Amino acid sequence: MDMEPDKRANKITLAVLFNNMKINLFLAFCFIFLPFIIMIIGIECHFLSRWFYLVLLSLPNAIHLFYLMIQFAKYPQKKLTPKWWMQPMERWNEITKIGIDWFMIRWYSSRNLILFFCLWIIIALFISKGV
């Protein structure tokens, strides 16, 4: 989603290579939701215990992250306010002052999504192994 800043910094990223916001949103969708699809396939094919459905509890985080991506694509100047459930978001006032709030809210949301996704996997592992 940082296609323009990446171009200015001469970075070669997928966003810069495709140079199309719709394609970039599709790729973001794939990167965000593919792990959930893989987990469901693994469970339904009996490679994983049914306890791994617990990862779906982090699906609201994924949906919100993708929503933020769409909002950034449509309204890049929109001001954001972190919600209580997005915490911790350290030094938010300073982040807003220097103008990187869109980047950081997506970064923090991504961090939280990965954290909870992995946490549910660990819990499912312990439960399914009887530990």
Side-chain angles (χ1 to χ4, degrees):
M1 302 314 316
D2 303 310
M3 182 172 52
E4 293 306 319
D6 288 348
K7 280 183 196 176
R8 287 192 300 272
N10 292 320
K11 287 183 181 178
I12 300 174
T13 62
L14 283 176
V16 172
L17 288 174
F18 288 111
N19 198 29
N20 181 302
M21 190 58 73
K22 287 183 181 181
I23 292 173
N24 290 338
L25 281 173
F26 173 75
L27 290 174
F29 179 88
C30 292
F31 285 129
I32 292 170
F33 293 104
L34 193 58
F36 292 97
I37 295 167
I38 291 169
M39 293 297 287
I40 291 169
I41 291 170
I43 295 164
E44 292 302 317
C45 292
H46 305 287
F47 295 123
L48 297 170
S49 160
R50 296 247 181 240
W51 284 106
F52 283 88
Y53 275 124
L54 285 171
V55 299
L56 295 179
L57 292 173
S58 59
L59 194 57
N61 295 75
I63 292 167
H64 186 261
L65 177 58
F66 188 65
Y67 171 78
L68 287 174
M69 299 286 192
I70 293 170
Q71 289 298 299
F72 178 73
K74 290 183 177 183
Y75 315 106
Q77 301 306 319
K78 182 178 177 181
K79 290 296 175 199
L80 302 172
T81 304
K83 309 295 185 240
W84 65 268
W85 48 267
M86 301 166 94
Q87 301 300 328
M89 292 197 176
E90 300 85 12
R91 301 175 13 209
W92 187 253
N93 291 335
E94 295 158 19
I95 287 167
T96 304
K97 281 181 191 173
I98 59 175
I100 59 170
D101 47 332
W102 265 113
F103 173 81
M104 290 306 294
I105 202 163
R106 287 179 281 135
W107 190 90
Y108 284 138
S109 295
S110 299
R111 175 205 59 190
N112 293 347
L113 172 59
I114 292 167
L115 175 97
F116 288 116
F117 189 88
C118 292
L119 182 65
W120 289 120
I121 288 175
I122 291 167
I123 291 169
L125 274 170
F126 280 122
I127 293 172
S128 65
K129 299 294 181 190
V131 176

